[in-house]
Amino acid sequence: MSVTLPVPAQAVVELRRARRQQRVATIDWVDALYKAYLAALIGGFAVLGLSSAVGDGQVGATTLATVRADGPAWIGVAAAVVVAVGLRSGSRGGPLAVEGPDVRHVLMAPVDRGAALRGPALRQLRFAVFGGAVTGAVAGQFAQRRLPGATLAWLGTGALTGVVIATLGLGAALVASGFRLPRPVASLIGILLVGWAVGDGASDRLPASPSSALGHLALWPLRFSAVGLAAVAAAVVLVAAGLWWIAGLRLEDAERRTGLIGQIRFAATLQDLRTVLVLRRQLAADLPRPRPWVRGRRGPARVPSWRRGWRGVMRWPAGRLVRLVLLGAVAGAALRGAWTGTTPLVAAAGVAMWIAALDAVEPLGQEVDHPGRLETYPRDVGEILSRLLGPAVVVMLAVGAVAAGTAIALAPDRTWAVVAAITGLGLALAAAAGAAVSVVSGAPDPTGTGQVAVLTPEIAGTATVLRTAGPPMLAVLGTVPLLVARALDRNGDPALRGALIGLVIAGLTAATGFGWVRVRDDVRRWFREVSEQATGGAARSGTARRGGAASDEEDFDDDVDDEEPAR
Amino acid sequence: MSPHDEPPALLTEGLTKTYGDLVALQPLDLSVAAGDRVALIGHNGSGKSTLLRMVAGLLEPTDGYAEVHGWPAGSLEARATVSYLSDEPVLYDDLSVREHVEYVSRLFGGDGFDSYAERVADALGLLPRIDDLPVRFSRGLRQKTALVLGLARPFSLLVVDEPFVGLDAPGRVALLDLLDEAHDEGAAVVVATHDPEFVERVDRCAALRDGELVYEGTATLAEALKLVT
């Protein structure tokens, strides 16, 4: 037999171009430009507003010397983490998310897979470069408020650093994917890189970590170092190598990713955070262990929901535990930065703890994922849900301890140690409450019925914003002990008193969140009844959270075209 | 090269797939000669789809190998000769049926939507909808679109997973005829199905149970199903 081989890659390029032109032709450019204008306007104001909040004055000479000496190593930790994440993603088939039909039709056709994949990879690179440049420039804008150096130099260097760090991550992922790096090997390399970078920052005994080159680059406005160029070179080499060996991508990984990423995008458009989280775990193969770390007691439980929660926690994979510790450490470092004057870092601390808490409230999430099952229990839904919060709070207290420990380790000082410990406690409680509210709130009703149907557009819009931004804001409120203590400390008053006052505020915030989890179902039921009375029963229930996407199929022919197997 | 020297259309030796502790396919030796027609039988989870996906190059074996006309499964040459039709149609949202056929045909070195593609679409009753977007189709129409794509391109090994599910009665008859036609033109055809009409036409059945090949021969569907239960 004979075959026609190979089909020139140019054919793929031409076909894709034709599809792109077809897509572009359907874009409403006025609408798209208006959206871009709004995004730039809101983003610009947000950056300017936040950066003016940083304006606590330039750092002192001692801090500046510390930044010059230790800054490259600690910034290098961020680069090492990004490369480690890239390697892990690549070992699971990332970073590309090829369209499902492209996997089936293009990658299974007799065409050069490298040529077929380079186009999507370059598009992803362009996006990463843009995102990195913008994020880096924003970080540069923040840095110039507190560090000496020209504004333009900080903006430019920040943008360059962002581009390099994004490119390093993408390049590492492409190389790992192209070489089919086994997952344990990718994890080991990542751990070594991060460990070396942390060791470099914490001790002078270790040789400079390779990732510290990025730190030298980021601090160019303070002191130019040619070592920074090594980071640029490494990024270029990694991306070039990744593009060169891109054809090594495993099709089964590509197909698995394409399905999950499609679902994640859909869930993200619905602002369904819980579904995004669950799918992301599947993407990262972050699945429960078949055997628990510690096998608990058997037999009847006095508090079943407490035991059910711990059984789930005991099956967490190692990666999730490491993530919680890292997020706690990030929160701790951010708290220390906020204490020394960079106030917006409280947002970073709050968000890091909220993300950790989204993992911690997993037992609660498992129940919320199955509303039908939940409603069959002969107990009040709110009571069941609130009892499942117990293990989550305990886990978050441990993460809060990690945050406080990190913060104290960065600057061992008695006053600060007490403030950090109290803030860690408040932050842990508030973050757990925020995450619990996120999980029980679920996605907005995609059908546009239910509560939203009886609200005016203005109130509905505000409700959507509150639903999205409210839970992380709850977590950020957990840093109030630090802010009050800092304010009193600067006035010469006892910081401990401020921290305790703040703890009461944070505690009340957390109690409000937990209380909402307890009564939410009752409130919704009451609201439904009221709205049904108001609309004569027209408003439909909005209790089903994830009943599946609305079907795309609209063409059910009258002839028996769809003979499904008997159910 | 004499016909006797020609490698089989499909050859697997020790082909294995595992996912951690789970064995999806135990070491499998199977040979399908050019022009053979084989029905793959087995219950859910027996390993049929895993086998077909490995032959198509979508999955990689944990051990052993699969060859298509002597080329490793998934290689450029094998991809040019295997046409794989999965049980779940995967189609572009922004291309019509005609544009799909043109696109896929070009990817396989063809000329686009030719007369044969038109005939296949007509046989499956899809011609009136040829310029519509499959994203708006029902499951059955999407399945028919995938069938047109799989059949209207050059192949010498046709690998099909549960093709009759979702098809109406005329579509089922048309597909049987199209599979006969592919066989008559010399292609090897391997179909995972429990459809008795197709199983009656095949040269042999291969029955899988729990990832293991438990029977290979000319049994009827009823006999083969007994073996896998």
Side-chain angles (χ1 to χ4, degrees):
Chain A
M1 62 153 298
S2 66
V3 291
T4 314
L5 286 175
V7 174
Q10 188 58 28
V12 181
V13 175
E14 283 171 15
L15 290 162
R16 281 204 174 128
R17 189 179 299 140
R19 279 190 66 211
R20 195 162 51 246
Q21 284 169 353
Q22 200 165 318
R23 268 200 307 271
V24 168
T26 62
I27 293 176
D28 182 344
W29 285 103
V30 175
D31 184 50
L33 287 172
Y34 180 65
K35 281 179 183 163
Y37 164 74
L38 276 185
L41 200 68
I42 293 168
F45 275 120
V47 171
L48 287 176
L50 279 174
S51 58
S52 58
V54 184
D56 296 6
Q58 296 258 317
V59 297
T62 316
T63 310
L64 185 59
T66 309
V67 170
R68 282 198 168 115
D70 299 338
W74 286 112
I75 296 170
V77 174
V81 168
V82 168
V83 171
V85 169
L87 286 171
R88 274 178 60 83
S89 165
S91 69
R92 296 188 297 260
L96 293 184
V98 187
E99 277 185 276
D102 267 355
V103 176
R104 284 296 172 88
H105 303 306
V106 178
L107 298 184
M108 288 182 70
V111 298
D112 174 8
R113 282 184 183 160
L117 287 169
R118 262 172 223 123
L122 286 171
R123 272 199 301 281
Q124 199 154 338
L125 179 64
R126 273 204 305 266
F127 183 76
V129 163
F130 175 74
V134 171
T135 311
V138 169
Q141 158 72 5
F142 287 148
Q144 65 90 23
R145 308 289 296 219
R146 304 213 63 206
L147 296 168
T151 303
L152 268 182
W154 278 111
L155 286 177
T157 308
L160 179 60
T161 307
V163 168
V164 169
I165 205 165
T167 312
L168 278 172
L170 191 79
L174 286 172
V175 168
S177 167
F179 278 106
R180 301 184 172 196
L181 212 58
R183 287 173 203 177
V185 175
S187 298
L188 184 65
I189 296 173
I191 289 167
L192 287 176
L193 280 174
V194 175
W196 189 355
V198 171
D200 182 20
S203 158
D204 295 332
R205 292 181 189 167
L206 279 177
S209 71
S211 56
S212 66
L214 186 96
H216 286 285
L217 170 68
L219 296 178
W220 268 357
L222 288 183
R223 182 178 58 196
F224 178 78
S225 166
V227 178
L229 292 171
V232 180
V236 171
V237 168
L238 267 180
V239 162
L243 290 173
W244 183 261
W245 277 290
I246 199 167
L249 172 74
R250 279 194 199 91
L251 280 201
E252 57 184 285
D253 286 342
E255 197 169 46
R256 188 177 65 88
R257 278 181 67 82
T258 195
L260 286 170
I261 285 178
Q263 292 175 54
I264 288 175
R265 283 180 182 151
F266 183 70
T269 56
L270 293 179
Q271 301 162 30
D272 190 347
L273 181 70
R274 171 72 190 157
T275 305
V276 169
L277 197 72
V278 170
L279 291 169
R280 202 210 65 79
R281 283 194 193 131
Q282 287 180 27
L283 193 64
D286 182 9
L287 302 173
R289 292 163 56 82
R291 292 168 198 275
W293 293 104
V294 178
R295 196 174 287 282
R297 277 189 301 170
R298 294 180 186 276
R302 202 159 55 86
V303 186
S305 45
W306 172 262
R307 184 180 287 185
R308 184 258 170 273
W310 281 112
R311 281 190 168 152
V313 171
M314 286 302 148
R315 283 201 162 87
W316 284 359
R320 199 178 301 175
L321 297 174
V322 170
R323 186 164 64 238
L324 288 186
V325 171
L326 285 177
L327 286 166
V330 167
L335 287 179
R336 177 62 201 170
W339 177 254
T340 55
T342 310
T343 312
L345 284 176
V346 296
V351 170
M353 289 291 279
W354 175 67
I355 294 170
L358 287 173
D359 274 330
V361 297
E362 178 61 20
L364 175 72
Q366 287 288 332
E367 289 300 335
V368 175
D369 286 347
H370 305 95
R373 186 176 66 193
L374 195 58
E375 283 165 11
T376 61
Y377 297 143
R379 291 279 182 120
D380 183 67
V381 169
E383 184 191 337
I384 296 170
L385 294 181
S386 55
R387 285 191 176 187
L388 282 165
L389 284 170
V393 169
V394 175
V395 169
M396 282 313 293
L397 288 176
V399 180
V402 172
T406 307
I408 295 166
L410 287 172
D413 165 73
R414 193 171 174 176
T415 306
W416 166 237
V418 173
V419 172
I422 293 174
T423 307
L425 174 62
L427 195 50
L429 293 173
V437 171
S438 284
V439 168
V440 297
S441 298
D445 186 354
T447 60
T449 57
Q451 292 180 21
V452 176
V454 294
L455 300 176
T456 63
E458 292 79 7
I459 297 175
T462 309
T464 303
V465 170
L466 280 178
R467 172 197 290 277
T468 310
M473 280 303 299
L474 272 184
V476 174
L477 284 174
T479 61
V480 169
L482 181 145
L483 295 174
V484 181
R486 193 184 69 174
L488 292 190
D489 190 53
R490 283 181 180 175
N491 289 334
D493 294 322
L496 174 61
R497 198 178 67 192
L500 289 174
I501 293 169
L503 182 60
V504 171
I505 298 171
L508 287 173
T509 305
T512 308
F514 294 140
W516 174 243
V517 173
R518 177 69 182 80
V519 301
R520 180 177 176 272
D521 201 59
D522 298 332
V523 172
R524 281 167 66 90
R525 198 180 306 121
W526 170 82
F527 192 91
R528 198 162 55 234
E529 284 166 10
V530 169
S531 61
E532 277 174 3
Q533 282 169 8
T535 59
R540 284 197 289 132
S541 160
T543 46
R545 287 192 58 237
R546 274 181 290 282
S551 173
D552 281 325
E553 299 176 1
E554 64 168 34
D555 190 357
F556 295 101
D557 290 350
D558 289 331
D559 58 359
V560 190
D561 201 30
D562 276 346
E563 284 184 25
E564 294 294 338
R567 293 188 178 134
Chain B
M1 188 186 282
S2 74
H4 295 291
D5 297 332
E6 199 170 303
L10 170 63
L11 176 70
T12 73
E13 282 195 8
L15 190 68
T16 311
K17 185 69 182 177
T18 59
Y19 299 96
D21 298 339
L22 180 75
V23 181
L25 191 68
Q26 300 190 34
L28 176 80
D29 297 336
L30 182 71
S31 179
V32 178
D36 262 9
R37 198 160 31 171
V38 177
L40 206 54
I41 291 166
H43 292 302
N44 294 343
S46 60
K48 305 187 300 289
S49 297
T50 303
L51 169 62
L52 297 185
R53 286 164 72 85
M54 281 198 285
V55 170
L58 260 177
L59 283 183
E60 291 186 12
T62 309
D63 202 3
Y65 65 88
E67 284 182 355
V68 177
H69 291 289
W71 291 300
S75 65
L76 202 69
E77 294 85 356
R79 298 201 304 261
T81 61
V82 178
S83 182
Y84 167 67
L85 283 162
S86 77
D87 52 344
E88 186 60 42
V90 182
L91 303 164
Y92 293 100
D93 289 353
D94 60 344
L95 294 184
S96 68
V97 179
R98 185 192 299 275
E99 288 163 342
H100 265 93
V101 176
E102 282 173 358
Y103 189 56
V104 172
S105 169
R106 291 269 324 270
L107 288 172
F108 284 85
D111 298 325
F113 191 80
D114 56 14
S115 55
Y116 181 68
E118 189 170 344
R119 194 163 66 75
V120 174
D122 190 27
L124 289 166
L126 203 57
L127 210 49
R129 310 297 302 270
I130 204 75
D131 290 313
D132 290 348
L133 295 176
V135 72
R136 303 168 77 90
F137 284 178
S138 63
R139 169 73 171 78
L141 284 176
R142 287 169 62 81
Q143 173 79 354
K144 287 177 179 179
T145 306
L147 289 169
V148 175
L149 292 181
L151 293 168
R153 44 149 292 200
F155 60 84
S156 58
L157 171 62
L158 182 62
V159 177
V160 199
D161 196 356
E162 303 283 7
F164 300 100
V165 175
L167 289 186
D168 53 13
R172 199 176 288 235
V173 172
L175 177 58
L176 283 167
D177 291 343
L178 289 166
L179 292 176
D180 283 348
E181 200 175 309
H183 170 251
D184 293 344
E185 288 175 5
V189 178
V190 180
V191 181
T193 184
H194 290 168
D195 188 278
E197 282 187 66
F198 179 76
V199 176
E200 279 169 14
R201 301 173 186 220
V202 298
D203 303 306
R204 63 197 160 107
C205 289
L208 289 168
R209 184 176 60 200
D210 298 332
E212 188 182 4
L213 184 68
V214 291
Y215 174 77
E216 198 184 347
T218 53
T220 63
L221 177 65
E223 288 165 347
L225 282 175
K226 271 184 196 165
L227 288 165
V228 296
T229 303

